[in-house]
Amino acid sequence: MLSLAPRTLRVRWTSFVGGFVALALGVALLTVTGLALASSSDAPERAPERFAAAPVVVRGHDTLRVPTANGVRTEPLAHPRPVPPGTVAALRALGRVTEDRSFPVRVEGGPRDLVGHPWSTAAFAPYALSAGRAPGADGEVVVTGDWAAVGEPLRTPQGTLRVVGTVDGPDVERAVFLTDARAARLSPSSTQMVVDADPAEVRRVVGDRAQVLTGAARRLADAAPDRDREAVTALHALFGTAGGVAAFVSVFVVASTFSFTVAQRRREFGLLRLAGATPGQVRRLVTAEALLVGVLASATGCALGGRAAPRLAAWTVEQGLAPGWFGIGDRVWPYHLAFWTGLLVALCGVVAASWRAGRTRPAEALREASVDRGVLTRGRLVCGTTLLLTAAVTLAVTLLGDPGDLLHRKTYVSRPLLLITAVALLAPALVRPLIRLPARLPCRPRGAGGMLVRENAAASVRRTASVAAPVLVTVALTGSLLGAAATLNGARAAEARERTVADLVVRAEGGLDADALRRLRAVPGTAAVSPTAPTAVYVVEEGVALVRSEARAADPEALAATARIPLTAGRITDLDDDSIVVDEEWERHTVGQRVTVRLGDGTRRSLRIAAVMPVGTGDNGAYVTPANARGASVDRVEVTVARGADRAAVAAGLREAVRSSGGEVLTRGAWLRATAPGTDGTSRAGFLLVLGLALVYAGIALAATLVMATSDRRRELAALRLAGATRGQVLRLVAAESLAVVAVGTVLGLAVTVLDLLGMRAALLLLSAPAVSLPLPWTALGAVSGACALVAVAASVLPAAVALRRGAGDELSVRAAG
């Protein structure tokens, strides 16, 4: 019997093309994501950049270290500590000390990522003058790169600067070098400095009051020294998610395709049984065929994945999803993992089908009925019902225990997969009612064509369910992932609208100094001026976890006058220097309780809980007073206009007050639009990667399944021709059937999407977030449904046209005469 397997593959290759294509593409996806994951760990060891020529760099502590029951836990400080003044004085006695400063520079019409530094630090990169001279006056600067030329004026909020020189050196940033005195006025705070002295003496003087960086450790003084580690973490999350979704889709489609392949051959298995084959022999035949297809498809998939992976890596770098150093390495284990996984998927996908094939009775060889019966087997019913109940129970447990978990990306990416599998397993029971539903409508389609389409699709439940499966995956994934992101963004936007009651908002990315704040408060016509600064607080929860919470520092009276902070207990005006406002996600969140926290600079404080906010969408954070946010710089000021005052005049006064600080004045509506949560270009590219791999695969698998299904209908198409149907009528019938099946898959996908988004909406309501309607991504859903329809029509009509052109009707006539 096993010797029949290669011959069966050779003779009935069209019956296996769907499984081969589905499995090969699935292995290719696994190979691509596996190679990307393996390569994302190969971050380069960066050498010092800005301080490559510096002898010693002394840097204030920028990491919080807290001992817990599970060891020391660390978190970056929101406000790194400066080097103590006494230590600086002692260092000056050892040698020359050069203080470093970094601050944003805004130039009208210039690049957006300009960074200012004192000219004295340029020698430590080192930068060398390529033209012009060093800055000697407050209005003179030296720049890197070719975005500005010597003699060119630069208009900034602080006045006009003139370029007096350009430098060549490491291409690490777009730097603007000012005189040391001007840089000190623009950025009074300095957290690191270069010391020209013996490193051992520097360590002796500094002790544990600051960090002493020498050798390769000097890279920690560069901007974003952890960017490579963060990039690796982001790449692992991105490719891990894409690989998980791709693996699910491939297993799902391969199992469905193999099941359909076996179902197509029930008469063939009946003949084998009639010829004396035992059920075990039939099962071994089917398994051997799957093994042969699995080996060939897995090898093909590995080859395709190896060629596609470098292109994917280049695309992720181009889209900003990966740093410039990212590329595909020469790891071998992703190929082994993908190959053996593909082979295992092929064998697992055919297990249930092989048992069904072994149960084929000899009488099936004589069966001519085209109506599928018993397609929803007991095992399929039990598995589908179990998964559906599992999805419902886990949703209920999460809603009752931790509804905020449903708002995390890893959760709303993975939850739809359970529903998709459950609905797909139960699809045979849903296909016939959905197909025949239009016949029960008042506006039901008339004529024999509609009846044939309906009855053909309803009779061939296995074919309909197998073809609808890729459509179900495509629509459900698109709707669930994009819909979840839109739901969360809509809730966050609604929170911002409810919270913001100020008439005008001043924002300054570089921060506002004390003089600018005094000028703002002095603007005539203002009723309340509320400056807030970003900071963070840290708390040890359950004795083992160091949790960082984003916070804002604000004056409680002014905050209450310009914002409507949602509260479940307490009052915002009760906030003082000895208290904090937290949300319900904190381990302790009862008004009056005291909680031990570390402030943004690492200072330990015991604060009383003055008020409690709901969790909402997770952006509520915490509130402290400015006294508990040393080092925080005001970046936002909310202003209410006094009754009867001219809003335009107040806005003009505010603009003048912050002109020298580069601040921007926005109306409430403009502020909400500017800060509205949305999907930026990088996030869209990430979604495109996660969805695109799965959707392209599902589309190709859909085409392969339809080619396989249509090629097996030659006798059915010939019978229609003999009954008097023209060639065009037969092709239109085939196209209509394909569209009907796509419609079934689309409806099932929409059902999964709605169920999934209803769970997220329930979580938002439990978290006291604003209620939002279900924002189904109709444009994306229409696009993928339309694409599935085009693929389905092309993949069914073209094989049907070939079959008709080859004279299937004559073959049928000969068989009938015989």
Side-chain angles (χ1 to χ4, degrees), residues 241 405-414 481 485 683 686-687:
T241 301
D405 184 60
L406 293 175
L407 307 185
H408 299 157
R409 178 172 294 185
K410 65 179 181 180
T411 303
Y412 68 68
V413 168
S414 60
L481 298 189
S683 299
F687 272 119

Side-chain angles (χ1 to χ4, degrees), residues 43 50 136 226 237 325 425 537 561 576 668 722 759 777:
R50 283 194 59 223
D226 294 329
W325 51 260
L425 288 172
V537 290
D576 56 27
R668 175 180 179 273
L722 289 175

